[in-house]
Amino acid sequence: MCLAASMLVEHRTYRGSPPPREANPVPLLAALFHRGERSIVAKMGNLDGSLAHGGRYDLDVTRHLLGTPGLLTHVYCVLLGAAREVGIDRDALPDFLGLEATAGDLLGQEELGETEVETVVQAESHHMLTQPSELEALFTERLLVAKARVGQHVFADSVIRNHQHRCVFCGLSVTAEGVRARRMLVASHIKPWRDSTSRERLDTANGLTACPTHDVAFDTGLITVNGGMHIHVKPEQERAARKDPAAAAVFGRPPLLDRLLLPAGAKQPGTAYLSWHHQHVYRTAPASTTA
């Protein structure tokens, strides 16, 4: 559970001092295990090798859990299930990675291209290790890849719940026999993952929930959103929608709404992120692009 928590919390920031109360799940794990918060932070350091004299077998545990794709999230779900069976409820041990509903499957991975992740991870690994051995570099990169993918899942889960499982562009929400059709909705970044800082990659205000068609239209700059949450369409697409029924099915109004569909109380998209998209994606999209 401490290794899973380290996917969310940059524990090295709090070395030598307890993390702030908002740095969950550290305080929750400390309360559950009847240990100090510094003890939880130290365990995270043991597991990722950042403490010089860590536990004897901690690194072996991390190598094993990260060595097989999906093993860490599987074990995390097994532990949560076992906790529920012995009466440890969601207040004492919440699903801080949001994996119970998906049975360990990670959301939002389609946004993370292998090349992009590799480039970012290698740069971060270089900053973390000044003169790494080949084994240390491999271990660190594996850890950073896991953090990127789990962080993306937490981000996507938060964004979809923030928008109550509806496309903010057209309102689409699909259920089949009471089960939501997960692949019918995508949560992706307004300012792309590859261009965002670590904080921005996890910021719910940097995400929009969309059906696959409007997600692609937004990502490629065919549509954008201004600070007033009005949806704008490239003039070429608006003209095509007046003539072509297929284009109208994507860019016509309806199904496209005039403003983003945001539930009452939802966290609104950040204006800085929307401005970035307008400047760097919408304005630079080729004028001849068609859906």
Side-chain angles (χ1 to χ4, degrees):
M1 299 309 290
C2 286
L3 181 60
S6 70
M7 301 293 107
L8 299 180
V9 178
E10 185 47 67
H11 62 89
R12 300 179 193 206
T13 305
Y14 311 121
R15 192 65 48 77
S17 61
R21 298 301 301 178
E22 64 268 20
N24 279 325
V26 172
L28 293 168
L29 292 178
L32 177 65
F33 298 135
H34 302 289
R35 304 291 292 272
E37 292 178 13
R38 292 186 183 183
S39 174
I40 301 299
V41 171
K43 174 57 70 174
M44 291 178 173
N46 291 343
L47 288 163
D48 71 6
S50 60
L51 287 183
H53 304 287
R56 182 178 178 185
Y57 297 111
D58 285 335
L59 286 178
D60 291 336
V61 170
T62 301
R63 289 190 184 98
H64 177 67
L65 288 174
L66 299 183
T68 302
L71 182 57
L72 173 61
T73 56
H74 169 72
V75 172
Y76 170 86
C77 289
V78 169
L79 289 174
L80 283 181
R84 304 295 180 247
E85 289 182 4
V86 298
I88 300 176
D89 61 19
R90 287 172 174 79
D91 289 331
L93 179 60
D95 175 19
F96 53 84
L97 293 187
L99 286 167
E100 281 186 298
T102 64
D105 291 337
L106 297 177
L107 301 176
Q109 302 305 297
E110 60 279 348
E111 188 181 3
L112 303 187
E114 290 295 333
T115 302
E116 293 178 345
V117 173
E118 182 179 340
T119 300
V120 170
V121 162
Q122 287 180 347
E124 292 183 1
S125 176
H126 178 74
H127 288 303
M128 291 173 63
L129 300 171
T130 54
Q131 293 181 326
S133 67
E134 184 176 344
L135 182 60
E136 288 175 323
L138 177 62
F139 176 79
T140 302
E141 288 179 10
R142 189 176 292 174
L143 183 67
L144 290 173
V145 168
K147 291 188 72 169
R149 296 204 172 278
V150 172
Q152 176 70 2
H153 165 83
V154 172
F155 164 81
D157 180 62
S158 173
V159 170
I160 290 175
R161 286 188 289 105
N162 184 52
H163 299 139
Q164 295 183 1
H165 298 265
R166 286 189 177 276
C167 172
V168 296
F169 294 103
C170 68
L172 177 69
S173 180
V174 179
T175 57
E177 297 182 357
V179 178
R180 291 190 177 95
R182 282 175 35 210
R183 293 180 63 187
M184 294 299 295
L185 289 176
V186 178
S188 58
H189 290 83
I190 300 170
K191 181 180 179 181
W193 183 89
R194 63 182 176 274
D195 299 307
S196 296
T197 65
S198 297
R199 182 193 65 79
E200 291 172 338
R201 289 171 187 157
L202 295 176
D203 188 359
T204 304
N206 189 20
L208 293 175
T209 302
C211 63
T213 300
H214 288 133
D215 176 66
V216 172
F218 185 79
D219 283 350
T220 55
L222 301 183
I223 58 178
T224 193
V225 180
N226 68 13
M229 305 301 143
H230 289 278
I231 301 169
H232 294 270
V233 181
K234 281 278 189 180
E236 295 84 359
Q237 310 312 318
E238 288 187 323
R239 290 193 293 268
R242 291 194 288 268
K243 301 175 182 178
D244 181 3
V250 178
F251 300 104
R253 299 183 192 263
L256 202 61
L257 304 172
D258 292 325
R259 292 168 54 92
L260 289 185
L261 180 63
L262 299 174
K267 187 173 185 179
Q268 293 213 346
T271 54
Y273 299 129
L274 294 174
S275 296
W276 194 98
H277 180 271
H278 189 271
Q279 291 292 325
H280 297 275
V281 181
Y282 182 73
R283 292 188 62 182
T284 61
S288 59
T289 301
T290 57

